[in-house]
Amino acid sequence: MDIADIATTDFVELDADVRLGKVRSVFERENPKGIIITEDGEYAGVVTEKQLVQSHIADDAKAGAMMRSAPQVGRHDDVREVARVLVEGGVKVAPVFEGDSLWGIVSGDAILRAVLENLDAITIGDIYTEDVVTITEDTDLGQAINLLREHGISRLPVLDDESDLSGMVTTHDIVEVAVRDMQRNTTGDRAGERDRILDLPVYDVMNSPVETTTLDESVRDAVERMFENDFAGLVVTPEDDDSTVAGVVTKTDVLRALTFTQDEAMDVQITNISLLDTISRQDVRERIAGVAQKYEDMQVRHAHVRFHEHREKLRGTPLIQCQIRLRTTKGQAAGSGEGYGAESAFGVALDKLQRNVLEIKGVQADEEYKGQLLRKLGEL
């Protein structure tokens, strides 16, 4: 399947000289998945809502200072490949070109709607993210924004005093509050107003109650509910306890699942692939495959590598955080680390992943030994 019938010419387009304050108001008013930025009428990049939350750039700056280069796709590109470039580019929308001309856009939502009937074959347990960052009701918005930036995520489950799930706060919620405040306060000390926003507890902003799903629900049913409620993700809970957070599943997780292949080569997904410097995709694949072999009887279904760039630099080389997650038939294993440059960060993360893999293997060996010992004792 290609995207010829999925892409659309209906999109929001702004000039690079437009101020970010207007960009924020467009997100508030029209809620687009992304905004195409042009310079002299030519495609230049995109701005997403997530970028606005994670940015320190002031509202009077130009949109061109915020835009990022989104992967360009052709009208007849394969759906799997387009899903891959959206995930790896960390964007929800990509410009669609016909020849050398910008024709329209394709969004992750449009792809999911097109393949919805095929999502019955997988369950939430096959694709969800188990390692979840949570906050409490009294966490302030400033702290929440820092967590969103640090982990490169778009949502945070909120827990009450008893550590039960009570709400969810997302980048969209925070942008909505910020824009509403800016529209209300047009004079006075804006810095002071901004500080007061950051001091608000997330309890005042979060969505509640929270839509949840379970590990055995089909991905199709879960995605349909996301569309019905205009959610980008759901909290995963145990089947018999909807107050305990077991994980999160997002539309991005579903898009990532579309890129799984049946090839013998292990599928490796790389988010923010543009940060790769002295290391290639093939290098990443081969080094992860070396670690995956330590699973022996475990089959690695998928590997996800995510790079995130910090503002700190050493002699011009940025500090990079790398997170690696392996999804296997026996559960998940992960490793993370930081270093100056993608290759250094990847090496640290890979070392931690390897230790975790060996630890899992050791625990399984201990369990097998325990079982053998109990059988021997039973024979006495």
Side-chain angles (χ1 to χ4, degrees):
M1 179 191 297
D2 62 32
I3 63 165
D5 298 322
I6 301 175
T8 176
T9 57
D10 184 18
F11 59 93
V12 177
E13 181 179 322
L14 293 176
D15 189 83
D17 287 334
V18 167
R19 300 192 181 281
L20 282 180
K22 181 175 180 179
V23 176
R24 292 184 192 277
S25 65
V26 170
F27 275 115
E28 168 73 8
R29 186 174 62 252
E30 303 183 37
N31 193 26
K33 298 301 178 184
I35 296 175
I36 297 292
I37 303 298
T38 60
E39 291 179 337
D40 298 325
E42 299 292 328
Y43 167 75
V46 300
V47 173
T48 66
E49 192 172 57
K50 184 176 179 180
Q51 285 174 265
L52 288 178
V53 171
Q54 295 181 342
S55 169
H56 295 281
I57 301 177
D59 284 345
D60 58 357
K62 295 181 179 180
M66 172 65 66
M67 71 179 183
R68 64 188 299 178
S69 178
Q72 301 179 20
V73 299
R75 279 193 67 191
H76 298 284
D77 283 357
D78 180 73
V79 166
R80 284 180 179 268
E81 183 58 27
V82 174
R84 179 186 294 279
V85 297
L86 286 174
V87 173
E88 292 188 341
V91 293
K92 295 181 180 179
V93 62
V96 178
F97 279 74
E98 192 160 46
D100 295 329
S101 301
L102 176 63
W103 180 86
I105 64 167
V106 63
S107 68
D109 276 4
I111 292 175
L112 291 180
R113 290 185 187 279
V115 302
L116 193 58
E117 292 183 359
N118 300 320
L119 299 179
D120 266 335
I122 52 178
T123 65
I124 295 300
D126 294 325
I127 68 169
Y128 82 115
T129 299
E130 189 174 10
D131 185 17
V132 182
V133 180
T134 61
I135 55 178
T136 58
E137 293 177 343
D138 59 355
T139 301
D140 61 53
L141 280 187
Q143 293 172 309
I145 290 173
N146 286 336
L147 287 171
L148 292 170
R149 287 173 178 159
E150 179 183 351
H151 296 278
I153 53 180
S154 59
R155 65 200 60 251
L156 294 164
V158 183
L159 307 181
D160 62 19
D161 292 339
E162 298 180 354
S163 296
D164 291 334
L165 177 66
S166 65
M168 175 79 83
V169 64
T170 69
T171 54
H172 180 74
D173 300 325
I174 296 173
V175 169
E176 191 174 55
V177 169
V179 171
R180 189 165 60 238
D181 182 81
M182 284 186 290
Q183 291 173 339
R184 183 173 63 249
N185 298 291
T186 56
T187 61
D189 185 355
R190 294 302 304 279
E193 297 296 339
R194 186 163 55 246
D195 288 342
R196 280 194 285 275
I197 295 176
L198 297 180
D199 289 337
L200 281 174
V202 295
Y203 180 84
D204 294 347
V205 178
M206 71 181 190
N207 293 298
S208 182
V210 183
E211 192 75 18
T212 63
T213 182
T214 56
L215 295 176
D216 59 353
E217 183 175 24
S218 76
V219 171
R220 175 178 178 173
D221 289 344
V223 171
E224 283 181 337
R225 286 194 291 116
M226 289 185 201
F227 283 136
E228 289 171 3
N229 296 282
D230 195 23
F231 294 151
L234 303 172
V235 174
V236 182
T237 63
E239 188 172 357
D240 56 350
D241 181 8
D242 61 3
S243 65
T244 299
V245 178
V248 168
V249 64
T250 67
K251 290 177 181 177
T252 299
D253 292 322
V254 183
L255 286 173
R256 187 177 295 117
L258 296 180
T259 70
F260 291 0
T261 65
Q262 300 300 320
D263 299 337
E264 291 184 3
M266 179 180 59
D267 183 54
V268 177
Q269 190 83 50
I270 303 176
T271 298
N272 295 329
I273 194 170
S274 61
L275 295 179
L276 293 185
D277 42 23
T278 58
I279 186 173
S280 67
R281 177 197 288 275
Q282 186 60 28
D283 293 332
V284 170
R285 182 190 299 274
E286 290 176 355
R287 291 172 67 178
I288 289 180
V291 173
Q293 292 173 0
K294 301 182 187 301
Y295 273 96
E296 293 184 349
D297 60 332
M298 293 184 187
Q299 178 185 356
V300 178
R301 293 175 173 173
H302 181 66
H304 178 214
V305 182
R306 177 185 172 277
F307 293 98
H308 172 69
E309 182 177 359
H310 293 294
R311 301 180 71 186
E312 180 182 341
K313 292 186 178 182
L314 177 64
R315 291 190 290 276
T317 301
L319 179 64
I320 302 290
Q321 180 191 52
C322 176
Q323 299 171 324
I324 307 173
R325 185 188 306 116
L326 298 185
R327 193 182 302 279
T328 81
T329 54
K330 297 291 183 69
Q332 297 188 39
S336 63
E338 293 184 344
Y340 290 98
E343 183 171 11
S344 174
F346 177 71
V348 175
L350 195 67
D351 286 343
K352 291 185 179 179
L353 174 69
Q354 181 164 280
R355 288 198 294 271
N356 291 336
V357 167
L358 293 175
E359 182 177 341
I360 292 173
K361 181 179 176 183
V363 169
Q364 290 178 334
D366 290 343
E367 290 297 322
E368 292 174 3
Y369 175 76
K370 180 180 177 181
Q372 293 170 358
L373 180 60
L374 290 175
R375 285 194 297 273
K376 289 293 183 180
L377 292 173
E379 294 172 359
L380 295 177

